[in-house]
Amino acid sequence: MKYDTLGNTGIEVSEVGFGAWVVGTDWWGDRTREQAIDMVQHAVDRDVTFFDTGDVYGHGDSEELVGEALAEVREEVTVSTKVGYDFYNNPQAGHGELPKKVTPEWVRTALDRSLDRLGMDHVELLMLHNANVDEVTPDVLETLDELREEGKVEAIGWALGPSIGWLADGDAAVENEFDVVQTVFNLFEQTPGQHFIDTIRERDADTSVVARVPHSSGLLNEQVTPETEFEADDHRAHRPTEWYETGFEKLETLRFLERDGERTMGQAAIQWLLAHDEVASVTPTFRTTDDIEEWAGAPDTPALSDTEYDRVQSLYHDDFGIERDDGMDALRSSVGGDDLDETGMQSAGD
């Protein structure tokens, strides 16, 4: 494992982190509480030190599991959680989005409830969960500063949902000197991640990127193949069939990234992200301990050469030579889509 820091905070994170949305919910397969805790602790054993959860994951269950699993190693790990949804007063309808709530009072109350579930007196990183730019008022920003001064959080971030909104939101995070922007970012879905990297560089900002969905919902680690049949509650099933059909073809153009015995495609996908200095950590969706074994080892595999990276980018800009609709337009939006229409950019889907 290798390690990086979040912005200029000095907070250390493993370059491969544990996205704890996978525990506490059944959106990525069923597992018992004991199995979920074993997964988190297995990640610790494989030198993963960054654990990213959220209050809405399992309506608090993920935080409770993470807190219990990390109790004995609390001083050795970096913990992040998210607030911004009111699941306390609203039922979850399938995988639909819950009502957002981002006010000074709610941020403070939600964090206190999260800390209770985690069994911790602070978290290293607190992120606003899919907050719209107009919700993050000066009063909210002041509250985040107060929470830092009180020692309840050490760094702040903004977690973006590209199919919900991202352009104005992420740009505001960089402008307001948030320590972290978290977004979907991978070889196939380079927007919005690349946009924020460009923005960070242009502004000489200290914001770090935390990349999620690094394997493009199972394509780049080949957990989704032409033979895959999704269970009804599998979160990846929301993507259209055309997305996967085009993805299978794109994947074949990237076989040059594999190195037999040295680097798998799943590891290469992570190494491509780590080739960007602004990416502090990558949070893949671990479904099994075998996933942890493979992907936690990615930083120790050969880094992509300049030639490999440039070849990937050439393929990406040519849409991997595939000239047909991937079916994703209905999932690409940002604040209603108007801001994207003006730029010509397309976002990833969650």
Side-chain angles (χ1 to χ4, degrees):
M1 182 61 70
K2 296 179 181 178
Y3 302 87
D4 205 339
T5 55
L6 299 178
N8 65 355
T9 65
I11 298 170
E12 185 180 85
V13 292
S14 50
E15 288 190 338
V16 174
F18 189 105
W21 48 80
V22 76
V23 296
T25 75
D26 59 2
W27 290 9
W28 288 270
D30 291 326
R31 58 185 55 81
T32 66
R33 183 180 184 85
E34 290 71 24
Q35 289 171 329
I37 290 173
D38 285 347
M39 281 185 62
V40 175
Q41 294 177 338
H42 190 82
V44 172
D45 292 341
R46 294 302 175 267
D47 299 322
V48 173
T49 61
F50 178 45
F51 293 85
D52 174 35
T53 185
D55 64 357
V56 76
Y57 301 146
H59 292 195
D61 287 348
S62 177
E63 289 176 324
E64 290 183 359
L65 286 163
V66 167
E68 181 177 343
L70 297 179
E72 294 185 5
V73 294
R74 177 64 185 100
E75 300 305 314
E76 303 167 26
V77 296
T78 296
V79 177
S80 167
T81 196
K82 309 178 189 71
V83 299
Y85 283 110
D86 181 7
F87 62 88
Y88 298 96
N89 301 301
N90 298 278
Q92 182 79 47
H95 293 182
E97 188 183 17
L98 287 163
K100 295 178 186 177
K101 193 168 184 179
V102 184
T103 65
E105 297 78 11
W106 184 260
V107 169
R108 182 176 289 279
T109 297
L111 174 61
D112 285 342
R113 291 175 177 178
S114 290
L115 293 176
D116 284 343
R117 286 188 291 266
L118 287 162
M120 300 174 184
D121 60 7
H122 76 286
V123 288
E124 282 73 23
L125 174 62
L126 174 67
M127 291 196 274
L128 300 180
H129 203 170
N130 293 338
N132 294 336
V133 66
D134 58 355
E135 296 173 317
V136 186
T137 63
D139 287 344
V140 170
L141 295 174
E142 183 178 354
T143 298
L144 293 172
D145 285 339
E146 290 171 354
L147 291 171
R148 281 195 283 197
E149 292 171 2
E150 295 165 14
K152 290 185 176 181
V153 305
E154 296 182 36
I156 60 170
W158 201 323
L160 309 175
S163 65
I164 299 169
W166 64 270
L167 183 55
D169 311 333
D171 283 350
V174 178
E175 181 180 349
N176 286 286
E177 301 180 343
F178 276 63
D179 302 300
V180 169
V181 168
Q182 184 182 56
T183 185
V184 172
F185 191 21
N186 59 65
L187 278 161
F188 290 163
E189 300 165 290
Q190 297 190 22
T191 305
Q194 191 60 59
H195 169 79
F196 294 130
I197 286 174
D198 293 342
T199 301
I200 290 166
R201 291 176 181 176
E202 288 167 4
R203 300 191 179 189
D204 194 25
D206 289 318
T207 304
S208 288
V209 173
V210 171
R212 65 184 183 89
V213 198
H215 294 123
S216 198
S217 294
L219 286 171
L220 288 163
N221 54 23
E222 299 186 82
Q223 288 189 348
V224 177
T225 70
E227 290 73 41
T228 300
E229 293 185 9
F230 293 116
E231 298 291 335
D233 59 354
D234 192 309
H235 187 61
R236 297 169 298 176
H238 80 288
R239 293 197 184 224
T241 301
E242 296 91 337
W243 163 258
Y244 289 107
E245 290 175 345
T246 57
F248 301 142
E249 295 181 39
K250 291 177 183 179
L251 182 65
E252 294 308 312
T253 71
L254 295 172
R255 291 297 180 190
F256 66 91
L257 293 176
E258 295 176 303
R259 295 192 185 181
D260 187 31
E262 290 189 305
R263 188 174 67 197
T264 66
M265 183 64 74
Q267 291 171 329
I270 292 173
Q271 280 286 23
W272 178 84
L273 287 163
L274 295 175
H276 305 86
D277 291 341
E278 293 76 10
V279 174
S281 188
V282 179
T283 54
T285 302
F286 296 122
R287 296 168 63 88
T288 65
T289 54
D290 286 343
D291 291 344
I292 296 171
E293 290 287 336
E294 179 182 348
W295 304 335
D300 297 319
T301 64
L304 266 64
S305 67
D306 291 343
T307 299
E308 288 173 324
Y309 183 88
D310 291 344
R311 186 174 173 186
V312 169
Q313 297 314 100
S314 178
L315 285 165
Y316 174 77
H317 290 300
D318 188 40
D319 201 21
F320 299 86
I322 298 172
E323 298 181 0
R324 60 187 173 88
D325 182 22
D326 64 7
M328 287 288 285
D329 284 347
L331 296 179
R332 293 185 173 114
S333 68
S334 177
V335 197
D338 293 341
D339 54 345
L340 285 183
D341 288 341
E342 294 172 1
T343 65
M345 288 187 286
Q346 292 182 322
S347 72
D350 286 321

